[in-house]
Amino acid sequence: MKNLSVNHLLGIKQLTEDDIQLIFETADSFKKIINRPIKKVPTLRDITIANLFFENSTRTRLSFELAEKRLSADVVNFSAASSSVKKGETLIDTVNNILAMKVDMVVMRHPNPGAHVFLSKHIDATIINAGDGTHEHPTQALLDSYSIREKLGDVTGKKVVIVGDIKHSRVALSNIYALQKQGAEVMVCGPATLIPKYIEKLGVKVEYNLKKALNWCDVANMLRIQLERQDIKYFPTQREYVLQYGLTKEILDNLDKEIVVMHPGPINRGVEITSDVADSKQSIILNQVENGVAVRMAVIYLLASKIKRY
Ligand code: CP
């Protein structure tokens, strides 16, 4: 059996191109399974997984939980808001107490960039990063690339523009790593204040004009403005942002070619994307969500196969 080169999924940066292809090939099998009347396999009956969410989530939390249950793992869920973290318990103590209950794998979302790398040095369990602050969201990038591959046949050679709040987006960084490892060309587009300085050093193109960016690309990944991570105002008003960077049906219909539209969610309809674009035939937003379960099953399965169980 082929194996991943890593024992944890801390970020896309640590994965090889072969790892990504192995995850996709494995996800292909799981996608067939979750579309059968009986969507479950007994593969991970002996594995217990804790989902630790120190930040809000709808898609990622439910997608991981469904992926784990479809693999027949035992699952426990932890939400920081209703936990003893509120009484001052540290991250390491919290996780070690959960692991003392014989948990094998930890899926964690945390607001601090690097929380997972820190934890991986202090605990004895497999860790999957479900989003660490503004740093990485590796399973989102994997499901995004998987969805491009499904829609366009391949990621290699495709031109992908990521539009919006690049500065505060973990989805952007993970997508840049994932797409480049697969040989795609990547552009970022948004207001200058929301594009990190020196981002060109990552090998991406930078464009401030949305229409030029859309005319260049095969795929546009529209990001939400992450107001919850912004300490100051990065553009004068939402109205001005929408006028310059909001994707409308009119803009889409006036392009020279038909492009694919993506969004990691949650969507702010009428801000980064209008409803008629989000619900158009060019949008693969709900395919991304569907594929998230199969891709997360693949990640969990491949990492679980590296745990010495017996
Ligand atoms: N895409 C994504 O991470 O969505 P959630 O915040 O709802 O998990």
Side-chain angles (χ1 to χ4, degrees):
M1 179 188 162
K2 284 198 230 168
N3 267 329
L4 292 175
S5 67
V6 291
N7 294 325
H8 309 279
L9 180 59
L10 302 176
I12 298 289
K13 192 173 185 180
Q14 293 86 1
L15 295 184
T16 64
E17 157 68 356
D18 283 349
D19 289 331
I20 294 173
Q21 293 313 323
L22 177 59
I23 291 167
F24 290 173
E25 285 158 24
T26 312
D28 287 341
S29 310
F30 286 130
K31 184 152 183 186
K32 286 187 194 126
I33 288 167
I34 61 176
N35 279 292
R36 293 190 320 211
I38 297 170
K39 303 173 175 58
K40 213 166 163 158
V41 286
T43 322
L44 297 190
R45 274 184 312 199
D46 56 339
I47 290 280
T48 304
I49 304 177
N51 298 315
L52 314 186
F53 278 73
F54 292 84
E55 243 190 24
N56 294 344
S57 169
T58 299
R59 276 148 294 273
T60 312
R61 189 171 60 81
L62 292 178
S63 180
F64 266 113
E65 188 174 343
L66 270 175
E68 292 151 4
K69 288 180 170 169
R70 301 271 192 252
L71 290 165
S72 299
D74 285 326
V75 180
V76 284
N77 290 306
F78 164 98
S79 164
S82 56
S83 74
S84 292
V85 169
K86 294 279 171 207
K87 300 175 194 166
E89 193 168 36
T90 66
L91 177 63
I92 294 176
D93 281 339
T94 300
V95 176
N96 270 329
N97 276 269
I98 292 166
L99 295 182
M101 299 178 218
K102 308 296 173 207
V103 165
D104 306 289
M105 193 179 286
V106 169
V107 173
M108 184 170 83
R109 171 169 287 191
H110 200 280
N112 295 350
H116 302 73
V117 174
F118 169 75
L119 201 60
S120 70
K121 295 182 178 19
H122 291 93
I123 68 163
D124 183 22
T126 303
I127 301 172
I128 300 179
N129 182 354
D132 61 329
T134 55
H135 181 221
E136 279 225 42
H137 191 350
T139 55
Q140 180 68 46
L142 289 167
L143 74 89
D144 289 344
S145 282
Y146 186 84
S147 302
I148 294 172
R149 169 184 176 266
E150 183 178 71
K151 181 74 180 175
L152 299 179
D154 204 349
V155 176
T156 309
K158 298 295 178 297
K159 293 178 176 172
V160 181
V161 64
I162 306 170
V163 180
D165 184 358
I166 311 300
K167 189 180 181 77
H168 300 99
S169 174
R170 54 193 173 213
V171 174
L173 187 60
S174 286
N175 260 280
I176 290 168
Y177 289 141
L179 291 163
Q180 289 181 337
K181 281 175 197 264
Q182 294 166 89
E185 280 185 74
V186 186
M187 176 185 279
V188 292
C189 176
T193 49
L194 289 176
I195 306 278
K197 276 184 198 163
Y198 313 119
I199 195 162
E200 296 93 336
K201 290 197 187 302
L202 290 179
V204 300
K205 296 179 195 306
V206 178
E207 175 60 67
Y208 301 106
N209 181 296
L210 178 65
K211 285 179 195 164
K212 282 188 189 165
L214 296 175
N215 270 315
W216 171 84
C217 74
D218 302 303
V219 178
N221 195 350
M222 306 302 296
L223 302 183
R224 182 176 65 87
I225 299 295
Q226 308 228 346
L227 291 173
E228 74 277 19
R229 298 192 203 282
Q230 296 185 3
D231 44 354
I232 55 165
K233 265 180 151 340
Y234 287 85
F235 46 87
T237 62
Q238 184 169 290
R239 185 174 148 68
E240 281 164 274
Y241 179 84
V242 171
L243 283 173
Q244 286 200 60
Y245 294 103
L247 180 55
T248 65
K249 196 75 173 58
E250 192 190 344
I251 295 174
L252 211 52
D253 289 346
N254 282 318
L255 296 176
D256 300 337
K257 56 183 172 182
E258 191 163 291
I259 63 166
V260 176
V261 177
M262 305 176 71
H263 194 305
I267 297 174
N268 284 314
R269 287 174 184 259
V271 183
E272 66 273 11
I273 189 169
T274 53
S275 275
D276 51 4
V277 174
D279 303 331
S280 71
K281 65 176 177 42
Q282 282 166 260
S283 158
I284 59 166
I285 294 170
L286 290 180
N287 305 79
Q288 291 172 258
V289 178
E290 180 187 344
N291 289 335
V293 178
V295 167
R296 289 181 173 116
M297 285 173 82
V299 168
I300 293 165
Y301 169 77
L302 290 165
L303 288 175
S305 72
K306 300 194 84 174
I307 299 173
K308 212 168 163 56
R309 279 140 78 181
Y310 306 106

